[in-house]
Amino acid sequence: MTGTLREPAVAGRFYPEGPQGLATQVGALLRASPSFASPPSAVISPHAGYAYSGALTARALGAARDANPDTIVVLSPSHRHPFDGIAAPSQDAFRLPNGTVPMDTAARDALIAADLAHIEDAAHDQEHGVEVQLPFLHALFPATPVQALVLGRVSTQQIAQAVDLLAARRKTLFVLSSDLSHFLPLDDARATDLNTARRIETGEGPTLRPQEACGARAIAGYFASEHAQGCRPTRLAMANSESVTNDATRTVGYGAWAITPGKGDTMDAGQRAQLLRLARQVLTSRLSRGKPPHIDTASFPAPLQTHAACFVTLEQQGRLRGCIGSLAAHRPLVEDVATNVQKAAFEDPRFRPLQPEELDRTTLKIALLTPSRRMSFTSQEDLESQLTPHRDGLILRDGRHAGTFLPMVWEKLDTPHAFVEALKVKAGLPRNHWSDTLTIDRFHAESFSDA
């Protein structure tokens, strides 16, 4: 490869400096890391030495192995060099012990032209936050160019603008390089990291602070971007340095997340089956023992511990028998499923409580909701023209009136006009109602059942 090369700065310290040793370790870690249900648009990936967080780095980046990006953008905090703004390197490529990673110089030039970044090699000279990601990215996407960006003192808005500019140019995978808490006693670290996970998963990512995650600027900037609106973060794994050092007095936390576009799926077949099995076990226990089983959230895989919003629907021979859910993520998914299946069975005011003899003929459906986004329209015709049947769910509000339709309602109301008018009726409004105070929020849903 011609052009200028940036030499590795942390080979031999954060990862093996020999080409064979590096290739062997990266390959083994990636083989143990499955791909994700749908290719993510971004991942949160830790950047400690491979002995500490290499398995989680592989888990995050391996989740994107089917993403087929045109370019990859790594956003890293600056650990050693204080500066203002967003720093790109001047070199054309990064040299690794086992290969060379081309830099996306066109993306770099576009950011500089927009006054969103600048060249500052000193920010990259000793920075490990970018470099530890590169051997995995090279193994997964050997020909894909990477844009390495180190964040100094910079506003969340500027990072968001950079994300939107890059996302609009080409199909881009964003790697948000970040560890979690630093140098806390083990119990404090675990509590802090779980709270950070909650904030990332419940829509508080744009206000994340450096004491919660060293890459907070990258995470906050990404979630504040227009590109990230409607995306769902799914927890892949969490860990702590104490498991390696056996030192519980000063620990560092690590986490990996896949961030999926609204139309993408987040659960594989096994995880969907586990959630449906849990929902049915909860109903069986309520009907036979009068109380639900104890839910040990920590015993479930990390994706099912993610804070997420769901609706649970009960049907009998294709007819509705109950439906209750959450519109926003506010508790772990397994707890949301367990709570909502009970409410759908026993507290939906439209139906009498479910009876034991009904359970065997009752089908359970679970819909996992994306964060909703406020729509902009000038008339009902304009609103209807923007809807995609069988994909969009809507939340309608006007004063004290409110109503929600899940995407599955399109099965019975198959035109946008019928969908919108029926939603107004559900909210207690006339079919022909229209006002300047009416709002519509749109969401998507990942739906599956045990039919």
Side-chain angles (χ1 to χ4, degrees), residues 48-397:
Y50 289 1
Y52 298 95
S53 66
L56 274 73
T57 303
R59 185 71 181 88
L61 299 178
R65 57 167 41 90
D66 298 326
N68 193 30
D70 296 322
T71 186
I72 300 167
V73 175
V74 181
L75 296 167
S76 167
S78 180
H79 289 87
R80 296 181 179 274
H81 177 69
F83 69 99
D84 293 326
I86 301 175
S90 64
Q91 291 79 18
D92 299 321
F94 270 72
R95 192 200 306 274
L96 298 172
N98 63 338
T100 301
V101 177
M103 291 291 101
D104 190 341
T105 55
R108 177 190 66 196
D109 294 345
L111 286 173
I112 293 172
D115 199 27
L116 292 172
H118 64 278
I119 298 292
E120 188 159 350
D121 285 331
H124 292 263
D125 285 346
Q126 297 298 319
E127 182 51 61
H128 64 273
V130 171
E131 189 174 322
V132 297
Q133 314 291 341
L134 298 181
F136 291 98
L137 292 173
H138 180 64
L140 291 165
F141 313 104
T144 304
V146 173
Q147 179 54 59
L149 299 174
V150 174
L151 308 179
R153 293 178 292 265
V154 59
S155 70
T156 298
Q157 180 183 14
Q158 183 174 335
I159 300 168
Q161 289 174 338
V163 167
D164 285 330
L165 184 150
L166 294 170
R169 294 181 71 254
R170 305 172 73 188
K171 184 180 180 183
T172 304
L173 171 65
F174 291 90
V175 178
L176 314 178
S177 182
S178 181
D179 294 337
L180 299 180
S181 62
H182 279 55
F183 311 129
L184 295 178
L186 182 60
D187 289 345
D188 293 344
R190 285 175 172 166
T192 298
D193 293 344
L194 285 174
N195 186 60
T196 299
R198 177 193 62 79
R199 282 169 44 73
I200 290 172
E201 295 159 7
T202 58
E204 298 179 26
T207 61
L208 209 63
R209 300 163 297 187
Q211 60 265 38
E212 296 170 303
C214 65
R217 284 192 176 98
I219 298 170
Y222 182 81
F223 280 114
S225 71
E226 181 67 20
H227 173 68
Q229 300 312 297
C231 288
R232 281 185 290 171
T234 300
R235 192 186 312 177
L236 302 176
M238 294 182 70
N240 188 278
S241 63
E242 182 272 341
S243 63
V244 177
T245 64
N246 293 318
D247 180 1
T249 62
R250 280 170 56 85
T251 72
V252 178
Y254 314 110
W257 282 265
I259 303 169
T260 314
K263 291 176 282 187
D265 292 337
T266 61
M267 297 288 136
D268 61 30
Q271 292 160 351
R272 292 180 176 190
Q274 195 169 3
L275 287 172
L276 289 164
R277 187 163 55 248
L278 167 68
R280 192 164 289 276
Q281 289 171 345
V282 167
L283 289 187
T284 299
S285 179
R286 271 290 300 266
L287 291 168
S288 62
R289 301 169 54 233
K291 62 180 182 179
H294 170 68
I295 305 298
D296 180 10
T297 301
S299 69
F300 287 84
L304 305 190
Q305 296 181 44
T306 303
H307 288 68
C310 81
F311 268 69
V312 180
T313 301
L314 279 60
E315 290 185 351
Q316 294 175 356
Q317 296 181 325
R319 299 178 64 182
L320 183 66
R321 183 60 179 82
C323 182
I324 297 288
S326 307
L327 290 175
H330 64 105
R331 58 190 165 204
L333 177 56
V334 289
E335 297 177 17
D336 207 49
V337 168
T339 299
N340 290 337
V341 73
Q342 294 178 77
K343 290 183 176 180
F346 305 112
E347 299 178 29
D348 189 327
R350 297 169 294 180
F351 303 94
R352 61 182 178 82
L354 190 73
Q355 299 301 304
E357 62 273 13
E358 296 181 83
L359 184 57
D360 286 346
R361 64 176 188 270
T362 300
T363 296
L364 303 183
K365 292 186 176 181
I366 297 174
L368 309 183
L369 274 57
T370 67
S372 60
R373 298 184 64 182
R374 181 62 49 89
M375 296 185 67
S376 177
F377 45 82
T378 57
S379 64
Q380 180 163 328
E381 292 74 18
D382 184 21
L383 167 63
E384 292 171 4
S385 72
Q386 298 180 45
L387 299 182
T388 301
H390 305 283
R391 191 193 75 181
D392 294 340
L394 299 182
I395 305 168
L396 179 150
R397 297 184 181 92

